[in-house]
Amino acid sequence: MKFKDHIRNMFAVYCREFKMVTHDVGIILFFMFLPLAYPIIYSLIYNPELVKDVSMVVVDHDRTALSRELVRKMDACDQAHVIGYATDLGDARRAIDSHKAYAILEIPEGFARKVGRNEASNAVMYCEMSLLLRYRGFLVASTNVMQEFSSELMTENIDRIAPLAETIATGDLLPVHNVSMGNIRNGFDSFIMPGVLILILQQCIVLAVGMAGGAQRESMRLTGYCSDNLAPSVFLTMVAQMLCYLTILVIPIIFMLHYVPLIFRFPMAGDALEIFAFILPMIFASFGLGFAFQSVVTERETVFVLWVATSLVFLLLSGLIWPMYDMLPVWRWLAGICPSTWGVEGFVKMNANGASLSQVSGPYLNLWILAVVWWVLGYCSRRWVVRPALMKLSSR
């Protein structure tokens, strides 16, 4: 067959596939609704990223000037707001249960006396855990206050022992300035959402291609799919279908990877063209995974079951919430064959930390290798599983 004939067949497959896809609500749902709506929904869940002036109550068993000074410093923090004192822990628990407060600071009796003796004295913080952002805010506030409080007490002790040393040891003896590279606001949204965007992109591609495969096996009367939507070459059919899907996905991909971080002010330190160049092999690998996925999708509804079953697995294997170095070898191997794992690693480094394409050459090379591997597996799936099944259906 001549080259022009191949191009003509590919164009015919492209046109038929485009018409069929645009008339299938389920596939459009994965191609348009997921990449456009899901990033917005997930970003809004964790926005605002930081919580401020969260209510807390104090149980002060010491009732000294030093304990009141500690409470005043806690109330001065951006993260916490002291709404009052409770007589005991039971009274404070009732404030937590009624959602009037979300944390309890308990100062034990003898707090000031132990501090005056240079003994360790502990103040206990209890946090309500319905929202981890509140817990994180109280943790940061209590840590900063205790550090500043300890520094002031140490300065007073030094001045009491050697008065002239005050001119040397004033303020914080060991100042600590925390700058989170790639996440200046220290927000949970800025931490997790860039990686989640890559996971959403992979899931959209894999599930939409899988649903298209399942729809082709169903009756033409129900779905509009026909086995005639195949060129003589399996590979060229796959290429034409991928180009069709990419045509639909171009705008959602740009919106998801560029405009969503722009709207929610996620870190955007990388070069946009280099980022899209990095994402390209991950898109190819995801299409190959989707074509291989078609061998197990016999009905369109099967995709929704597999979607629920695989989303959490891909999230765990991505390295976002479970570091790869801490995984067992079998899980590390499974993570390595997922395009999203390397896509998340490279995208976060480029978008959040400003890495160039050459600095993420490892994940970039792995994505091209996965693209080849998954396309070979996808070809085998289409050639020896999907295509014979379609031909069998068309002969009925």
Side-chain angles (χ1 to χ4, degrees):
M1 185 177 292
K2 296 181 180 180
F3 179 74
K4 290 184 178 179
D5 294 331
H6 287 303
I7 298 299
R8 189 180 299 111
N9 288 333
M10 286 181 60
F11 184 72
V13 171
Y14 176 93
C15 293
R16 289 196 298 267
E17 192 74 20
F18 190 87
K19 180 180 179 181
M20 296 172 187
V21 167
T22 53
H23 287 78
D24 190 292
V25 178
I27 299 178
I28 289 297
L29 177 71
F30 285 114
F31 274 146
M32 300 298 292
F33 178 76
L34 257 66
L36 293 178
Y38 262 45
I40 300 295
I41 294 173
Y42 279 113
S43 299
L44 288 174
I45 290 174
Y46 298 107
N47 198 349
E49 302 185 68
L50 303 176
V51 292
K52 295 184 177 181
D53 293 329
V54 182
S55 302
M56 66 178 299
V57 294
V58 178
V59 180
D60 189 357
H61 298 293
D62 197 45
R63 299 287 181 175
T64 60
L66 193 64
S67 65
R68 288 191 292 272
E69 177 68 12
L70 176 61
V71 174
R72 187 189 66 80
K73 289 183 179 296
M74 282 295 301
D75 189 40
C77 292
D78 290 337
Q79 297 87 351
H81 170 58
V82 178
I83 62 173
Y85 287 83
T87 56
D88 52 25
L89 278 178
D91 190 17
R93 282 295 301 271
R94 284 188 287 274
I96 295 288
D97 295 338
S98 61
H99 299 291
K100 295 179 181 178
Y102 298 95
I104 303 170
L105 176 63
E106 184 183 22
I107 303 175
E109 186 178 357
F111 175 80
R113 184 171 62 252
K114 288 184 178 180
V115 170
R117 296 174 179 174
N118 292 326
E119 298 176 2
S121 183
N122 299 322
V124 183
M125 174 78 74
Y126 302 94
C127 297
E128 194 259 355
M129 296 292 291
S130 62
L131 183 63
L132 290 178
L133 291 177
R134 295 196 198 104
Y135 166 75
R136 179 182 175 276
F138 285 126
L139 179 63
V140 171
S142 59
T143 301
N144 292 338
V145 166
M146 288 303 177
Q147 181 181 352
E148 181 183 356
F149 202 60
S150 300
S151 175
E152 292 178 357
L153 292 174
M154 185 177 296
T155 302
E156 292 177 3
N157 289 336
I158 293 175
D159 182 46
R160 187 165 52 249
I161 297 172
L164 293 179
E166 185 183 8
T167 59
I168 302 174
T170 56
D172 195 347
L173 299 179
L174 186 63
V176 176
H177 300 283
N178 182 25
V179 179
S180 299
M181 301 300 294
N183 188 0
I184 304 300
R185 293 189 293 177
N186 283 326
F188 186 74
D189 211 7
S190 296
F191 159 70
I192 198 169
M193 275 309 299
V196 171
L197 293 177
I198 301 299
L199 289 169
I200 293 175
L201 175 59
Q202 176 186 274
Q203 289 292 80
C204 289
I205 295 174
V206 172
L207 297 174
V209 175
M211 177 173 281
Q216 291 185 41
R217 299 194 185 195
E218 293 185 0
S219 171
M220 180 181 174
R221 178 179 59 83
L222 295 176
T223 64
Y225 278 85
C226 176
S227 61
D228 185 56
N229 194 23
L230 294 169
S233 170
V234 175
F235 178 74
L236 293 181
T237 300
M238 294 167 61
V239 173
Q241 289 177 332
M242 183 191 70
L243 293 176
C244 170
Y245 302 150
L246 276 177
T247 304
I248 302 172
L249 276 173
V250 166
I251 294 178
I253 289 175
I254 295 175
F255 172 78
M256 184 164 50
L257 299 184
H258 182 73
Y259 286 101
V260 169
L262 195 65
I263 293 171
F264 291 96
R265 299 181 181 179
F266 298 152
M268 297 182 65
D271 181 77
L273 292 178
E274 287 193 344
I275 289 175
F276 283 108
F278 173 81
I279 292 299
L280 190 61
M282 199 211 82
I283 294 175
F284 290 158
S286 298
F287 274 111
L289 178 58
F291 287 127
F293 191 53
Q294 288 182 350
S295 62
V296 298
V297 180
T298 57
E299 297 178 351
R300 299 164 78 250
E301 291 76 11
T302 308
V303 170
F304 294 97
V305 179
L306 295 174
W307 178 21
V308 175
T310 58
S311 295
L312 182 59
V313 175
F314 283 131
L315 177 61
L316 290 174
L317 296 178
S318 67
L320 279 174
I321 57 179
W322 186 12
M324 287 188 65
Y325 63 81
D326 195 42
M327 296 180 184
L328 295 174
V330 61
W331 292 110
R332 197 178 300 119
W333 180 83
L334 288 174
I337 64 174
C338 296
S340 58
T341 300
W342 306 109
V344 167
E345 180 180 344
F347 181 73
V348 169
K349 288 181 179 179
M350 297 180 73
N351 203 51
N353 298 321
S356 63
L357 189 60
S358 61
Q359 291 174 316
V360 292
S361 57
Y364 190 57
L365 178 61
N366 290 336
L367 284 174
W368 279 114
I369 294 174
L370 284 179
V372 174
V373 171
W374 280 117
W375 266 80
V376 170
L377 294 176
Y379 175 84
C380 295
S381 171
R382 291 292 299 266
R383 177 67 178 83
W384 288 290
V385 179
V386 178
R387 190 181 180 94
L390 294 175
M391 292 303 182
K392 185 178 179 180
L393 290 174
S394 64
S395 63
R396 293 180 179 177

